[in-house]
mmCIF file of all heavy atoms in Angstrom:
data_model
loop_
_atom_site.group_PDB
_atom_site.id
_atom_site.type_symbol
_atom_site.label_atom_id
_atom_site.label_comp_id
_atom_site.label_asym_id
_atom_site.label_seq_id
_atom_site.Cartn_x
_atom_site.Cartn_y
_atom_site.Cartn_z
ATOM 1 N N SER O 25 -8.997 25.970 -10.358
ATOM 2 C CA SER O 25 -9.821 26.468 -11.457
ATOM 3 C C SER O 25 -11.274 25.984 -11.331
ATOM 4 O O SER O 25 -11.550 24.958 -10.646
ATOM 5 C CB SER O 25 -9.244 26.051 -12.786
ATOM 6 O OG SER O 25 -9.465 24.645 -12.986
ATOM 7 N N GLU O 28 -11.418 22.378 -12.545
ATOM 8 C CA GLU O 28 -10.902 21.434 -11.552
ATOM 9 C C GLU O 28 -11.875 21.182 -10.414
ATOM 10 O O GLU O 28 -12.051 20.057 -9.927
ATOM 11 C CB GLU O 28 -9.547 21.875 -10.992
ATOM 12 C CG GLU O 28 -8.437 21.817 -11.993
ATOM 13 C CD GLU O 28 -7.134 22.465 -11.436
ATOM 14 O OE1 GLU O 28 -7.212 23.289 -10.548
ATOM 15 O OE2 GLU O 28 -6.061 22.134 -12.023
ATOM 16 N N GLN O 31 -14.671 18.905 -11.676
ATOM 17 C CA GLN O 31 -14.187 17.514 -11.789
ATOM 18 C C GLN O 31 -14.084 16.883 -10.397
ATOM 19 O O GLN O 31 -14.450 15.717 -10.223
ATOM 20 C CB GLN O 31 -12.819 17.516 -12.461
ATOM 21 C CG GLN O 31 -12.868 17.737 -13.984
ATOM 22 C CD GLN O 31 -11.498 17.756 -14.614
ATOM 23 O OE1 GLN O 31 -10.482 18.014 -13.929
ATOM 24 N NE2 GLN O 31 -11.476 17.489 -15.888
ATOM 25 N N VAL O 36 -16.347 13.277 -6.174
ATOM 26 C CA VAL O 36 -16.880 13.097 -4.833
ATOM 27 C C VAL O 36 -18.282 12.530 -4.866
ATOM 28 O O VAL O 36 -18.620 11.591 -4.101
ATOM 29 C CB VAL O 36 -16.860 14.445 -4.062
ATOM 30 C CG1 VAL O 36 -17.663 14.367 -2.754
ATOM 31 C CG2 VAL O 36 -15.402 14.817 -3.739
ATOM 32 N N ARG O 37 -19.089 13.019 -5.779
ATOM 33 C CA ARG O 37 -20.462 12.452 -5.940
ATOM 34 C C ARG O 37 -20.433 10.990 -6.335
ATOM 35 O O ARG O 37 -21.239 10.232 -5.869
ATOM 36 C CB ARG O 37 -21.255 13.331 -6.867
ATOM 37 C CG ARG O 37 -21.618 14.686 -6.287
ATOM 38 C CD ARG O 37 -22.515 15.483 -7.214
ATOM 39 N NE ARG O 37 -22.646 16.835 -6.622
ATOM 40 C CZ ARG O 37 -22.169 17.917 -7.192
ATOM 41 N NH1 ARG O 37 -21.505 17.887 -8.326
ATOM 42 N NH2 ARG O 37 -22.353 19.130 -6.628
ATOM 43 N N ARG O 38 -19.546 10.681 -7.249
ATOM 44 C CA ARG O 38 -19.444 9.290 -7.698
ATOM 45 C C ARG O 38 -19.014 8.382 -6.552
ATOM 46 O O ARG O 38 -19.546 7.285 -6.355
ATOM 47 C CB ARG O 38 -18.422 9.202 -8.844
ATOM 48 C CG ARG O 38 -18.375 7.851 -9.481
ATOM 49 C CD ARG O 38 -17.470 7.767 -10.710
ATOM 50 N NE ARG O 38 -17.821 8.750 -11.695
ATOM 51 C CZ ARG O 38 -16.941 9.582 -12.267
ATOM 52 N NH1 ARG O 38 -15.655 9.548 -11.952
ATOM 53 N NH2 ARG O 38 -17.339 10.489 -13.142
ATOM 54 N N ASP O 44 -22.859 4.432 -1.037
ATOM 55 C CA ASP O 44 -24.265 4.025 -0.863
ATOM 56 C C ASP O 44 -24.449 2.581 -1.352
ATOM 57 O O ASP O 44 -25.131 1.815 -0.666
ATOM 58 C CB ASP O 44 -25.170 4.986 -1.605
ATOM 59 C CG ASP O 44 -25.245 6.361 -0.987
ATOM 60 O OD1 ASP O 44 -24.821 6.566 0.193
ATOM 61 O OD2 ASP O 44 -25.664 7.279 -1.684
ATOM 62 N N LEU O 46 -22.249 0.246 -1.508
ATOM 63 C CA LEU O 46 -21.565 -0.638 -0.520
ATOM 64 C C LEU O 46 -22.426 -0.814 0.736
ATOM 65 O O LEU O 46 -22.556 -1.936 1.161
ATOM 66 C CB LEU O 46 -20.160 -0.010 -0.143
ATOM 67 C CG LEU O 46 -19.431 -0.815 0.927
ATOM 68 C CD1 LEU O 46 -19.087 -2.233 0.432
ATOM 69 C CD2 LEU O 46 -18.153 -0.067 1.285
ATOM 70 N N ALA O 65 -12.833 -0.693 -5.448
ATOM 71 C CA ALA O 65 -13.222 0.394 -6.392
ATOM 72 C C ALA O 65 -13.301 1.754 -5.720
ATOM 73 O O ALA O 65 -12.868 2.794 -6.260
ATOM 74 C CB ALA O 65 -14.546 0.044 -7.073
ATOM 75 N N ARG O 67 -11.692 2.582 -2.918
ATOM 76 C CA ARG O 67 -10.272 3.010 -2.662
ATOM 77 C C ARG O 67 -9.613 3.610 -3.868
ATOM 78 O O ARG O 67 -8.920 4.634 -3.785
ATOM 79 C CB ARG O 67 -9.458 1.783 -2.151
ATOM 80 C CG ARG O 67 -8.049 2.132 -1.783
ATOM 81 C CD ARG O 67 -7.280 0.960 -1.316
ATOM 82 N NE ARG O 67 -7.224 -0.070 -2.318
ATOM 83 C CZ ARG O 67 -6.781 -1.267 -2.149
ATOM 84 N NH1 ARG O 67 -6.396 -1.682 -0.958
ATOM 85 N NH2 ARG O 67 -6.758 -2.119 -3.108
ATOM 86 N N GLY O 68 -9.837 2.987 -5.050
ATOM 87 C CA GLY O 68 -9.216 3.526 -6.280
ATOM 88 C C GLY O 68 -9.753 4.896 -6.603
ATOM 89 O O GLY O 68 -9.077 5.800 -7.032
ATOM 90 N N VAL O 70 -11.002 7.116 -4.484
ATOM 91 C CA VAL O 70 -10.491 8.105 -3.484
ATOM 92 C C VAL O 70 -9.003 8.457 -3.844
ATOM 93 O O VAL O 70 -8.617 9.608 -3.793
ATOM 94 C CB VAL O 70 -10.677 7.569 -2.036
ATOM 95 C CG1 VAL O 70 -9.869 8.414 -1.070
ATOM 96 C CG2 VAL O 70 -12.077 7.496 -1.672
ATOM 97 N N LEU O 73 -9.036 10.824 -6.731
ATOM 98 C CA LEU O 73 -9.398 12.157 -6.249
ATOM 99 C C LEU O 73 -8.214 12.814 -5.555
ATOM 100 O O LEU O 73 -7.917 14.000 -5.864
ATOM 101 C CB LEU O 73 -10.571 12.091 -5.309
ATOM 102 C CG LEU O 73 -11.000 13.408 -4.667
ATOM 103 C CD1 LEU O 73 -11.442 14.439 -5.682
ATOM 104 C CD2 LEU O 73 -12.141 13.177 -3.654
ATOM 105 N N MET O 74 -7.553 12.091 -4.673
ATOM 106 C CA MET O 74 -6.395 12.617 -3.994
ATOM 107 C C MET O 74 -5.346 13.016 -5.023
ATOM 108 O O MET O 74 -4.643 14.055 -4.845
ATOM 109 C CB MET O 74 -5.841 11.606 -2.999
ATOM 110 C CG MET O 74 -4.694 12.141 -2.174
ATOM 111 S SD MET O 74 -4.213 11.208 -0.709
ATOM 112 C CE MET O 74 -4.295 9.571 -1.185
ATOM 113 N N GLY O 75 -5.091 12.214 -6.013
ATOM 114 C CA GLY O 75 -4.079 12.536 -7.011
ATOM 115 C C GLY O 75 -4.416 13.784 -7.794
ATOM 116 O O GLY O 75 -3.570 14.671 -8.011
ATOM 117 N N GLU O 79 -2.148 17.042 -7.517
ATOM 118 C CA GLU O 79 -1.561 17.657 -8.748
ATOM 119 C C GLU O 79 -1.921 19.112 -8.870
ATOM 120 O O GLU O 79 -1.040 19.926 -9.203
ATOM 121 C CB GLU O 79 -2.030 16.866 -9.948
ATOM 122 C CG GLU O 79 -1.463 17.412 -11.272
ATOM 123 C CD GLU O 79 -1.866 16.646 -12.485
ATOM 124 O OE1 GLU O 79 -2.408 15.509 -12.357
ATOM 125 O OE2 GLU O 79 -1.726 17.168 -13.567
ATOM 126 N N ALA O 84 -0.076 24.681 -8.783
ATOM 127 C CA ALA O 84 -0.349 26.027 -8.290
ATOM 128 C C ALA O 84 0.844 26.481 -7.412
ATOM 129 O O ALA O 84 1.189 27.675 -7.453
ATOM 130 C CB ALA O 84 -1.646 26.081 -7.506
ATOM 131 N N SER O 85 1.451 25.609 -6.694
ATOM 132 C CA SER O 85 2.492 25.946 -5.762
ATOM 133 C C SER O 85 3.867 26.111 -6.487
ATOM 134 O O SER O 85 4.668 26.998 -6.103
ATOM 135 C CB SER O 85 2.685 24.949 -4.644
ATOM 136 O OG SER O 85 1.530 24.928 -3.938
ATOM 137 N N ARG O 89 6.154 31.296 -12.363
ATOM 138 C CA ARG O 89 5.410 32.548 -12.094
ATOM 139 C C ARG O 89 6.061 33.668 -12.838
ATOM 140 O O ARG O 89 7.247 33.720 -13.037
ATOM 141 C CB ARG O 89 5.356 32.855 -10.588
ATOM 142 C CG ARG O 89 4.653 31.805 -9.832
ATOM 143 C CD ARG O 89 4.511 32.192 -8.374
ATOM 144 N NE ARG O 89 3.674 31.276 -7.688
ATOM 145 C CZ ARG O 89 4.143 30.360 -6.800
ATOM 146 N NH1 ARG O 89 5.443 30.317 -6.497
ATOM 147 N NH2 ARG O 89 3.314 29.542 -6.246
ATOM 148 N N ALA O 90 5.235 34.643 -13.216
ATOM 149 C CA ALA O 90 5.741 35.862 -13.934
ATOM 150 C C ALA O 90 6.743 36.643 -13.099
ATOM 151 O O ALA O 90 7.690 37.194 -13.597
ATOM 152 C CB ALA O 90 4.586 36.721 -14.401
ATOM 153 N N VAL O 91 6.467 36.719 -11.745
ATOM 154 C CA VAL O 91 7.328 37.479 -10.930
ATOM 155 C C VAL O 91 8.693 36.882 -10.736
ATOM 156 O O VAL O 91 9.710 37.540 -10.768
ATOM 157 C CB VAL O 91 6.647 37.644 -9.520
ATOM 158 C CG1 VAL O 91 7.540 38.414 -8.562
ATOM 159 C CG2 VAL O 91 5.328 38.321 -9.665
ATOM 160 N N PRO O 93 10.478 33.893 -12.503
ATOM 161 C CA PRO O 93 10.488 32.798 -13.460
ATOM 162 C C PRO O 93 11.397 31.690 -13.029
ATOM 163 O O PRO O 93 12.464 31.899 -12.474
ATOM 164 C CB PRO O 93 10.956 33.408 -14.759
ATOM 165 C CG PRO O 93 11.181 34.885 -14.487
ATOM 166 C CD PRO O 93 10.966 35.133 -13.054
ATOM 167 N N GLY O 95 13.355 27.949 -14.228
ATOM 168 C CA GLY O 95 13.893 27.345 -15.387
ATOM 169 C C GLY O 95 13.208 26.065 -15.859
ATOM 170 O O GLY O 95 12.293 25.582 -15.172
ATOM 171 N N ILE O 106 5.011 14.773 -10.125
ATOM 172 C CA ILE O 106 3.609 14.419 -10.344
ATOM 173 C C ILE O 106 3.470 13.038 -10.894
ATOM 174 O O ILE O 106 2.642 12.274 -10.394
ATOM 175 C CB ILE O 106 2.951 15.451 -11.351
ATOM 176 C CG1 ILE O 106 2.813 16.802 -10.667
ATOM 177 C CG2 ILE O 106 1.597 14.961 -11.789
ATOM 178 C CD1 ILE O 106 2.444 17.966 -11.567
ATOM 179 N N THR O 111 1.944 7.450 -9.779
ATOM 180 C CA THR O 111 2.286 5.991 -9.753
ATOM 181 C C THR O 111 2.104 5.446 -8.353
ATOM 182 O O THR O 111 1.584 4.350 -8.204
ATOM 183 C CB THR O 111 3.731 5.832 -10.186
ATOM 184 O OG1 THR O 111 3.869 6.363 -11.563
ATOM 185 C CG2 THR O 111 4.181 4.358 -10.228
ATOM 186 N N TYR O 112 2.529 6.198 -7.377
ATOM 187 C CA TYR O 112 2.422 5.746 -5.999
ATOM 188 C C TYR O 112 0.968 5.599 -5.534
ATOM 189 O O TYR O 112 0.637 4.669 -4.792
ATOM 190 C CB TYR O 112 3.141 6.696 -5.053
ATOM 191 C CG TYR O 112 2.972 6.409 -3.606
ATOM 192 C CD1 TYR O 112 3.686 5.348 -3.001
ATOM 193 C CD2 TYR O 112 2.119 7.144 -2.810
ATOM 194 C CE1 TYR O 112 3.490 5.054 -1.682
ATOM 195 C CE2 TYR O 112 1.947 6.875 -1.490
ATOM 196 C CZ TYR O 112 2.648 5.806 -0.914
ATOM 197 O OH TYR O 112 2.474 5.517 0.421
#
Side-chain angles (χ1 to χ4, degrees):
S25 73
E28 289 172 338
Q31 287 177 335
V36 167
R37 288 184 187 113
R38 190 175 303 133
D44 290 342
L46 176 61
R67 181 180 60 190
V70 169
L73 174 63
M74 184 167 40
E79 180 178 344
S85 297
R89 296 187 174 107
V91 177
I106 290 169
T111 301
Y112 175 75

